[in-house]
Amino acid sequence: MKMRKLALRFLTIALMLEVFVTSNMAEAATSQTATVAIPVNMGLVGDNNAYKDYMLDLPNEVTAASVDTSSLKYSGSNTVSSGISISNGKIKLKLQGVGNNERLTNLQGYQASYQAAFVTNPSNSIWRYSDGVRWQINEYSESRDALITKDVPADDNNVPSAHPPRTVVTAAPAQDISYVKWYNGSKTDVIDAQYIVQSTVIPHFIPDTSSSYIKETKFKNGKVIVSYAIPWYVITSGPSAGKIAEQNYTNQDGDASHPLVGWAQGRKYEVRAEYYYTADAIVPTYSYSGTVTFKYTPITEPTLDGKVTVVNPSPNPTQFKNADVPVTLRVNGNLLAYTDSSNIEEWLFYAKETGSTDVKIMKDYNKVLSSTQSFTTFKIPKDRITNGMVNGEFDQEYTLTVTIRFSRPVPTSSGTISSLTQTMQATVGVTDKPVPPPSSGGNKRPVAILSVPDSVMAGEEFLVYGADSYDPDGTIVDYNYGTGSAVEKVTGKYGYTWYPLAEAGYKTTISLVVTDNDDLSGSTTAKVEVQAPKPRAAITVIGTKKENRKVTIHNASTDLSKHYPMDPSKTRFTIQAISGGTASDIKYSGSLNGVSDKDVVFKKPGTYKATIYVENIVGYSSTAEITFDIVPDEPPVPYISVPSQAYRDPDNGNRAAIVLDDLSFSPDYDYIGHRLWQYRYDSDNDGDFSDESWVILSDANESRVNFNPDKVGRYEIRLTVTEEFDQPTIDEFVSAADRKSANTDTQSAVEKIITVYNRAPIVDWSW
């Protein structure tokens, strides 16, 4: 009996030990799974949003030390660009956004700041002749795209005439696009210039802030062409509306190229013209969502868990109101896996702006297992926000520490400890964008809201968006999409998918059923038409559209079908002459096939047409064409300033000292690249130079030349000027003969002839 009882006791102890060991092993091996959601961000504009860094709070029941970091896993449509880790008690990861292109229309282009118009002051030079009764009008000719001059008689009987006759004149300064900044309807929504579709840029005249006497304004040939009446205009507003007023002018006598004689006078009539631009932009947008899951093991040894909460501002980030931003940070310390509160000596809390040495300290002497303190004296100065804001965003980081000290050392598996410390960080954000208020609701079943495009191309990735769905009395726990034969499955609040080529030509139904935490559901549907994946051909002409200048024919086609893209080898350009030139006047190197850009030189002015053909990998094609004008290369306008008489100087070797000035210009903004000065001497003094030979005075491209003849008599001066291109060209297709030249043969002979005299003797009467 005793042996049987003893054996029974051993058996019972053995069974108890087995149960105890198994229980402990099971407890040690037990792990749990937790999930943290990525904050949803949709349609973030610009490549600076292509990646985003996240610091996600751990759930309340999880400490950083208990997380199995090898189990951290992201689920969603984004791509993790670097590993997921635990940092400062938070989940740290970097995601690559899901990219898409969005076309923004009617953007406004201002000069450097919102609604700051481009301003120009077109003007014309009006000159009264020395007879006092004729006027010379210098103005811009739109038809010739050049400056012209015309003489008109005065319409008053005064001598000198008091004013030129009333006429409409035209001026054309160059359009200005320097420091252009693009806005999408407000000063805070700035679009980077790199996304602007240049072919859509259109200038717009602003009449309200421009001179009221402007008759017409247009934009052409890269100029602001303004027509206005001189010297009178009709007052359009105010108590004098309807009356005639005379314009102010600026005296221009000092700009005369010749000495003014008689009644000669120069006037500059000037107006003010303001304008801005509109354009379209194709901007990249990026979206983020998803979840991070991981496994963790509940702690069994004393562990300090610290958390920080941004109490103020709320929401965070907050909208900047041009004032200091008060900040309140709440720090919580929670002692886990420890129950002896009598052994707690004190809680210490530290807070500071990251990088600062100004530390704020708070203490709690209560013998409690958790303690919370709030720091309420922080603020972000408005000047710091204003000066530090980047792309409308400003972040201020804070470093916070919580420490618990024990009265007696606490044993652990790795030895005894006398304190525990946890350090955390918090970021307060300020933005210049409006921040939506938090939503609220009531006791109703969830409402499904589904957003999809009306139509898509086969192979085009598009967004199926259900994140606007809501549950007034709880939370939505499940999104169930029905997308038919779509290739990619959509899960969560939103996702991207696309339809294969077989669905082209059909309408398909997409459905959404949302379920809330009370197991109630709501549903909705939307229709999407799947179109054939036809590329959109487009062609633009870039460069100076002038003869013998480089013009680039550019493939501006777009292809929305990501999975059935264009085949670059199938792209073909054709270029043909419509009028003015011939096929032989179109010069380029290489082939017009399989390229995205082709540099071309047109040897003659005229009208030309360029066509593009594009085709995708499944055989769908598209064509586009553009007709454009190549304008002539205007020759230079030669003009020289020559004195009418000079005297030989005995102190200068009996030579005359004459200065010749070149006043030539290029009407189409090229520059003078070569000057050849010549003269001929009327050797037989018969007033006829045709029998005399030209002699080179200077071939060194001098704009001012010293001429020192030693013979009395008459000399005729001639200047030949040759232009050099001021715009890019393709050297292999142009020669010296393509540079325009002209001489002063057409200039008035009186203005080109110098008469050299002997200086008269000085008589001294002496007695």
Side-chain angles (χ1 to χ4, degrees):
M1 285 294 294
K2 290 182 179 181
M3 290 295 293
R4 186 176 296 175
K5 289 180 180 180
L6 185 59
L8 184 57
R9 288 178 181 175
F10 278 129
L11 178 59
T12 302
I13 292 172
L15 289 173
M16 289 176 64
L17 286 172
E18 182 179 355
V19 172
F20 178 77
V21 172
T22 303
S23 175
N24 275 326
M25 290 178 61
E27 182 178 352
T30 298
S31 62
Q32 300 182 26
T33 300
T35 301
V36 177
I38 303 292
V40 175
N41 284 298
M42 302 299 300
L44 300 177
V45 174
D47 286 330
N48 58 319
N49 288 304
Y51 294 86
K52 284 189 74 67
D53 294 300
Y54 288 93
M55 295 292 289
L56 306 175
D57 289 323
L58 293 169
N60 290 333
E61 72 277 8
V62 179
T63 64
S66 67
V67 175
D68 178 5
T69 56
S70 65
S71 69
L72 288 163
K73 180 181 179 182
Y74 166 79
S75 298
S77 54
N78 300 101
T79 301
V80 178
S81 66
S82 60
I84 310 174
S85 62
I86 300 294
S87 177
N88 292 324
K90 298 178 183 291
I91 301 172
K92 179 181 179 181
L93 75 160
K94 184 173 187 177
L95 295 178
Q96 181 179 356
V98 176
N100 196 12
N101 284 333
E102 178 182 354
R103 190 178 189 99
L104 303 178
T105 59
N106 199 35
L107 303 178
Q108 303 87 49
Y110 297 109
Q111 191 166 43
S113 61
Y114 186 59
Q115 294 185 337
F118 290 85
V119 179
T120 185
N121 296 105
S123 63
N124 282 296
S125 175
I126 314 298
W127 294 85
R128 186 173 61 202
Y129 280 95
S130 59
D131 60 14
V133 296
R134 291 180 302 137
W135 291 87
Q136 182 188 85
I137 309 293
N138 300 295
E139 64 170 339
Y140 171 78
S141 170
E142 180 183 345
S143 60
R144 294 179 56 188
D145 190 23
L147 295 174
I148 61 171
T149 297
K150 59 184 178 183
D151 293 343
V152 296
D155 63 356
D156 58 0
N157 296 320
N158 299 324
V159 179
S161 171
H163 47 69
R166 189 175 189 277
T167 184
V168 175
V169 295
T170 302
Q175 279 180 232
D176 186 8
I177 203 166
S178 60
Y179 304 107
V180 65
K181 195 171 183 179
W182 296 95
Y183 299 87
N184 189 19
S186 71
K187 66 179 181 180
T188 59
D189 196 355
V190 181
I191 304 301
D192 197 295
Q194 66 177 310
Y195 306 128
I196 297 298
V197 181
Q198 293 300 321
S199 61
T200 66
V201 176
I202 300 174
H204 299 273
F205 176 61
I206 308 175
D208 292 344
T209 52
S210 300
S211 297
S212 60
Y213 41 87
I214 292 177
K215 297 286 188 182
E216 181 185 23
T217 302
K218 62 177 69 174
F219 299 89
K220 186 178 179 182
N221 301 328
K223 300 179 177 67
V224 185
I225 304 176
V226 178
S227 298
Y228 58 100
I230 62 165
W232 299 290
Y233 67 96
V234 178
I235 300 174
T236 58
S237 61
S240 301
K243 295 182 179 180
I244 301 296
E246 185 173 357
Q247 291 182 37
N248 295 324
Y249 63 84
T250 303
N251 187 290
Q252 209 173 12
D253 291 357
D255 296 333
S257 59
H258 304 282
L260 298 181
V261 297
W263 300 109
Q265 183 192 51
R267 298 182 179 183
K268 181 171 73 172
Y269 287 92
E270 186 177 73
V271 296
R272 177 185 177 91
E274 296 191 6
Y275 56 99
Y276 71 102
Y277 295 92
T278 60
D280 295 351
I282 298 178
V283 298
T285 62
Y286 298 90
S287 300
Y288 295 87
S289 67
T291 59
V292 174
T293 59
F294 58 88
K295 293 181 178 180
Y296 70 98
T297 303
I299 61 171
T300 58
E301 291 192 341
T303 303
L304 179 60
D305 182 28
K307 283 185 174 58
V308 59
T309 303
V310 178
V311 178
N312 190 36
S314 180
N316 180 31
T318 188
Q319 186 177 7
F320 185 43
K321 302 294 186 181
N322 198 31
D324 296 346
V325 175
V327 175
T328 298
L329 304 173
R330 185 171 61 225
V331 184
N332 171 255
N334 191 22
L335 185 57
L336 306 175
Y338 190 78
T339 59
D340 187 4
S341 59
S342 64
N343 191 36
I344 295 175
E345 182 175 335
E346 63 178 353
W347 291 86
L348 297 173
F349 297 85
Y350 305 91
K352 66 174 184 176
E353 294 177 353
T354 301
S356 172
T357 57
D358 182 13
V359 180
K360 304 182 187 301
I361 303 174
M362 300 185 74
K363 295 184 178 183
D364 182 3
Y365 295 103
N366 292 307
K367 296 182 178 297
V368 290
L369 297 178
S370 65
S371 180
T372 300
Q373 300 294 325
S374 294
F375 292 89
T376 61
T377 58
F378 286 110
K379 69 177 180 180
I380 309 174
K382 68 176 183 179
D383 291 343
R384 186 187 303 173
I385 298 171
T386 301
N387 297 329
M389 194 168 279
V390 178
N391 296 324
E393 304 287 342
F394 177 85
D395 288 337
Q396 177 63 60
E397 186 179 84
Y398 298 87
T399 299
L400 305 104
T401 302
V402 57
T403 298
I404 185 170
R405 295 176 58 197
F406 299 104
S407 300
R408 302 179 304 276
V410 176
T412 68
S413 60
S414 58
T416 59
I417 57 174
S418 58
S419 65
L420 292 170
T421 297
Q422 181 72 35
T423 299
M424 302 143 285
Q425 289 180 327
T427 300
V428 173
V430 184
T431 176
D432 62 3
K433 301 176 180 62
V435 178
S439 59
S440 60
N443 292 321
K444 296 180 180 179
R445 69 172 51 245
V447 178
I449 299 176
L450 179 62
S451 297
V452 296
D454 293 330
S455 63
V456 297
M457 287 184 180
E460 176 188 356
E461 293 187 353
F462 66 96
L463 181 65
V464 179
Y465 190 71
D468 288 335
S469 304
Y470 63 94
D471 180 28
D473 62 343
T475 58
I476 295 176
V477 297
D478 183 63
Y479 296 79
N480 192 344
Y481 297 89
T483 55
S485 58
V487 176
E488 303 289 345
K489 184 179 180 181
V490 179
T491 60
K493 293 183 179 181
Y494 68 91
Y496 287 85
T497 190
W498 56 282
Y499 286 100
L501 186 61
E503 292 299 311
Y506 296 95
K507 277 191 174 182
T508 186
T509 299
I510 296 178
S511 63
L512 170 62
V513 178
V514 294
T515 304
D516 68 7
N517 56 323
D518 293 322
D519 206 29
L520 296 176
S521 62
S523 63
T524 188
T525 61
K527 292 282 188 179
V528 176
E529 181 181 1
V530 183
Q531 300 176 346
K534 187 176 181 180
R536 297 175 182 174
I539 187 172
T540 59
V541 179
I542 305 170
T544 304
K545 294 187 277 291
K546 185 163 66 174
E547 63 178 316
N548 288 313
R549 305 307 194 268
K550 183 178 75 172
V551 173
T552 301
I553 310 299
H554 173 64
N555 178 7
S557 306
T558 56
D559 190 358
L560 297 178
S561 181
K562 177 179 179 180
H563 296 275
Y564 306 119
M566 287 184 288
D567 183 352
S569 66
K570 300 291 182 65
T571 301
R572 300 196 300 270
F573 287 113
T574 56
I575 311 171
Q576 62 185 108
I578 303 299
S579 63
T582 65
S584 62
D585 297 318
I586 305 171
K587 302 294 184 181
Y588 56 88
S589 298
S591 173
L592 295 178
N593 299 335
V595 294
S596 294
D597 295 277
K598 177 56 65 175
D599 293 336
V600 185
V601 163
F602 297 87
K603 300 295 294 181
K604 288 185 179 179
T607 301
Y608 296 82
K609 181 170 70 174
T611 305
I612 189 172
Y613 169 91
V614 293
E615 181 178 330
N616 63 16
I617 61 174
V618 289
Y620 286 89
S621 63
S622 178
T623 61
E625 65 181 34
I626 185 171
T627 301
F628 54 97
D629 293 325
I630 298 297
V631 300
D633 185 1
E634 297 287 345
V637 178
Y639 193 85
I640 55 176
S641 174
V642 175
S644 60
Q645 59 187 15
Y647 295 90
R648 295 197 304 174
D649 185 0
D651 294 332
N652 188 31
N654 223 20
R655 295 174 177 271
I658 302 170
V659 176
L660 310 176
D661 285 308
D662 173 26
L663 304 178
S664 307
F665 67 94
S666 173
D668 57 352
Y669 305 105
D670 289 321
Y671 65 93
I672 305 301
H674 182 254
R675 296 173 175 86
L676 173 64
W677 293 89
Q678 297 171 289
Y679 73 91
R680 55 186 177 181
Y681 174 60
D682 186 6
S683 60
D684 52 10
N685 199 29
D686 64 352
D688 182 12
F689 288 89
S690 62
D691 57 343
E692 307 291 348
S693 299
W694 288 104
V695 178
I696 294 177
L697 177 61
S698 171
D699 193 22
N701 195 30
E702 296 177 280
S703 60
R704 169 170 286 189
V705 173
N706 293 316
F707 181 38
N708 304 112
D710 59 358
K711 298 178 181 178
V712 297
R714 298 196 307 163
Y715 295 81
E716 183 182 9
I717 306 299
R718 179 167 72 180
L719 172 64
T720 302
V721 292
T722 303
E723 283 184 346
E724 186 52 69
F725 299 160
D726 199 30
Q727 305 90 24
T729 186
I730 304 177
D731 291 335
E732 66 181 293
F733 299 128
V734 296
S735 64
D738 293 318
R739 273 71 176 179
K740 300 290 184 179
S741 63
N743 60 39
T744 53
D745 287 354
T746 58
Q747 188 173 343
S748 172
V750 175
E751 297 179 326
K752 299 183 295 182
I753 296 175
I754 310 168
T755 302
V756 177
Y757 299 96
N758 280 324
R759 190 174 299 279
I762 299 174
V763 177
D764 184 13
W765 293 93
S766 300
W767 299 94

